[in-house]
Amino acid sequence: MIEKDEGAATVMGSGTQDEGSELVLTLSELTPELDPVDDAETDSPELVRGRWDARVDRGILATALLAGVALRMLLLDTVGLNSDEAVYSGQAASMVGNPHFTGLFPVVRAHPLLFQLLASPFYRSGVPDQPGRFLSAAFGVATIALVFLLGRVLYGRRVGAIAALLLAVMPYHVIISRQVLLDGPMTFFATGALLCLACLGKTRRGQWLVAAGAFLGLASLTKETAITLLASVFVFLALVPRFWRPARYVIGAGVTVFGLALAYPVITTISGASRSGQSYLLWQLGRQPNHGFGFYLTTVPLAMGVLLLLTAAAGLILLRHQSSWVEVLLLAWLVGPFVFFELWPVKGFPYLLVMTPALAVLAARLLGWLTDRLATATM
């Protein structure tokens, strides 16, 4: 059980509240603005440093977003679509009745269809290859922005900016975001859920738990494997049990998650196309392993960046005296997908993409702490 809750204590101490009441805060109130307040009457060293820090953080964030756009969107047409990309693009085209695709790609084939639905307006005519890639890349860039917000809520502006930069240049995230795959958009919605849980921890407002449930539901409508993150949420709530209360928000979150997640199988059953989904599930369950158990311990870490992983681990060790529910949340977010896919016989290269936002924030935590120490030493 985790008792330390410095972030929540700071927020709750900012105003007088009756016992049991909730402090009403919005996301913008959780964290400082990028530019500190300009006090014309004071030009103290602290204010000067605050202005400089704001400029640095803004520069890091701008660099992250520019690098994210460039690495994900340039030269997307240099190679053709692979098999999975062709399937998802063909589904999107079939949704809008494009005659070039309807006879080849049934709408209901395997995974849920949220991403294909969003991409379908770009496939109304002709035989385009690239629209789905640009949409996937846009989700990747948007995830970078969410990671900045996540880091800022949990640790502050500097950590958020560094985390965004780390994710922007991470080869693993770049490679997958440049393809018409479901894992990138799913990671965007999953990161939104993680951000909502961070806001829950900071404010104690149960509405954030319901919002997290909505994001997880949208993630599962993008790719059904997002449901594994429910294990992460339960691990977090089990270790930090105060967030179970009040129970009505937990129930509301559960109803929201399963209500959205069940929408796809219900619709396919009503439409008479459930047999295709069942066949795909049976095929997945009966497939032979395509990689050994070391795949997620060797190949994928190289793509994520060994230095990034070592930095995240070093931060957990060196800053363990500062640990609170925040580290429990981030580690729980890593446990669910990793354990599930490590045990699952089929090991796809993009399956662990949902872990990357938490890893980026954990690595940025140590880097942000080091920059603060260096700035203090040079003052």
Side-chain angles (χ1 to χ4, degrees), residues 136 171-181 183-184 349-350 353:
S136 179
Y172 188 55
H173 195 271
V174 171
I175 292 169
I176 297 170
S177 296
R178 288 176 60 86
Q179 302 178 60
V180 190
L181 298 177
D183 303 86
F349 178 75
L353 192 68

Side-chain angles (χ1 to χ4, degrees), residues 125-196:
S125 61
V127 286
D129 283 345
Q130 308 311 320
R133 283 184 174 173
F134 280 104
L135 182 59
S136 179
F139 271 108
V141 175
T143 304
I144 296 171
L146 282 184
V147 167
F148 165 70
L149 292 176
L150 175 65
R152 194 174 75 161
V153 167
L154 292 177
Y155 294 112
R157 186 182 59 223
R158 175 62 54 84
V159 171
I162 295 174
L165 182 59
L166 292 175
L167 188 70
V169 300
M170 183 188 295
Y172 188 55
H173 195 271
V174 171
I175 292 169
I176 297 170
S177 296
R178 288 176 60 86
Q179 302 178 60
V180 190
L181 298 177
L182 304 182
D183 303 86
M186 178 189 68
T187 297
F188 167 79
F189 291 117
T191 306
L194 182 57
L195 175 59
C196 290

Side-chain angles (χ1 to χ4, degrees), residues 18-19 37 39 46 65-66 81 135 142 161-162 164 212 215 237 266 270 272 291 307 328 332 357:
D18 295 331
E19 183 177 357
V37 176
D39 186 354
E46 291 78 11
L65 293 175
L66 289 174
L81 302 181
L135 182 59
I162 295 174
F215 272 106
L237 294 178
V266 169
I270 294 175
H291 293 288
L307 285 178
V328 176

Side-chain angles (χ1 to χ4, degrees), residues 6-304:
E6 295 174 354
T10 301
V11 174
M12 294 300 291
S14 62
T16 302
Q17 300 287 326
D18 295 331
E19 183 177 357
S21 64
E22 294 180 351
L23 184 60
V24 179
L25 293 176
T26 63
L27 179 58
S28 62
E29 293 173 304
L30 287 170
T31 55
E33 297 295 329
L34 280 175
D35 295 303
V37 176
D38 185 8
D39 186 354
E41 299 179 356
T42 306
D43 199 18
S44 64
E46 291 78 11
L47 181 59
V48 173
R49 180 185 172 185
R51 291 171 178 167
W52 171 253
D53 286 346
R55 295 190 186 100
V56 171
D57 297 341
R58 188 167 56 242
I60 295 173
L61 178 60
T63 302
L65 293 175
L66 289 174
V69 171
L71 291 173
R72 286 158 181 78
M73 294 194 174
L74 294 181
L75 304 177
L76 282 178
D77 58 347
T78 54
V79 295
L81 302 181
N82 60 39
S83 58
D84 286 342
E85 289 183 288
V87 169
Y88 302 140
S89 299
Q91 284 181 299
S94 294
M95 280 184 172
V96 289
N98 187 323
H100 297 286
F101 294 86
T102 51
L104 299 173
F105 296 95
V107 173
V108 178
R109 185 180 180 90
H111 302 293
L113 300 169
L114 180 58
F115 175 76
Q116 295 89 318
L117 179 64
L118 296 174
S120 60
F122 305 106
Y123 290 92
R124 288 186 179 278
S125 61
V127 286
D129 283 345
Q130 308 311 320
R133 283 184 174 173
F134 280 104
L135 182 59
S136 179
F139 271 108
V141 175
T143 304
I144 296 171
L146 282 184
V147 167
F148 165 70
L149 292 176
L150 175 65
R152 194 174 75 161
V153 167
L154 292 177
Y155 294 112
R157 186 182 59 223
R158 175 62 54 84
V159 171
I162 295 174
L165 182 59
L166 292 175
L167 188 70
V169 300
M170 183 188 295
Y172 188 55
H173 195 271
V174 171
I175 292 169
I176 297 170
S177 296
R178 288 176 60 86
Q179 302 178 60
V180 190
L181 298 177
L182 304 182
D183 303 86
M186 178 189 68
T187 297
F188 167 79
F189 291 117
T191 306
L194 182 57
L195 175 59
C196 290
L197 291 174
C199 294
L200 168 70
K202 287 291 184 178
T203 67
R204 302 284 192 93
R205 293 187 64 202
Q207 292 92 331
W208 286 113
L209 186 59
V210 179
F215 272 106
L216 277 181
L218 291 173
S220 67
L221 284 179
T222 306
K223 191 173 183 179
E224 70 282 356
T225 53
I227 208 70
T228 60
L229 290 170
L230 281 178
S232 298
V233 176
F234 280 115
V235 168
F236 170 61
L237 294 178
L239 294 175
V240 193
R242 60 177 170 274
F243 295 130
W244 282 100
R245 302 179 294 273
R248 66 180 182 275
Y249 293 118
V250 179
I251 296 172
V255 170
T256 303
V257 170
F258 290 107
L260 288 170
L262 292 175
Y264 176 70
V266 169
I267 291 173
T268 55
T269 299
I270 294 175
S271 65
S274 60
R275 184 175 180 179
S276 175
Q278 293 172 358
S279 299
Y280 174 77
L281 178 61
L282 292 175
W283 174 71
Q284 284 281 36
L285 293 174
R287 286 179 65 184
Q288 294 297 317
N290 59 342
H291 293 288
F293 278 97
F295 182 73
Y296 289 137
L297 299 174
T298 56
T299 304
V300 173
L302 292 176
M304 289 180 176

Side-chain angles (χ1 to χ4, degrees), residues 319-361:
L319 303 179
R320 61 187 180 277
H321 60 284
Q322 301 179 10
S323 297
S324 67
W325 62 266
V326 175
E327 289 70 44
V328 176
L329 172 62
L330 295 175
L331 290 174
W333 202 255
L334 302 176
V335 167
F338 182 82
V339 171
F340 177 85
F341 288 115
E342 181 64 21
L343 297 177
W344 187 256
V346 181
K347 292 174 170 44
F349 178 75
Y351 289 177
L352 298 187
L353 192 68
V354 292
M355 297 171 56
T356 55
L359 288 170
V361 172

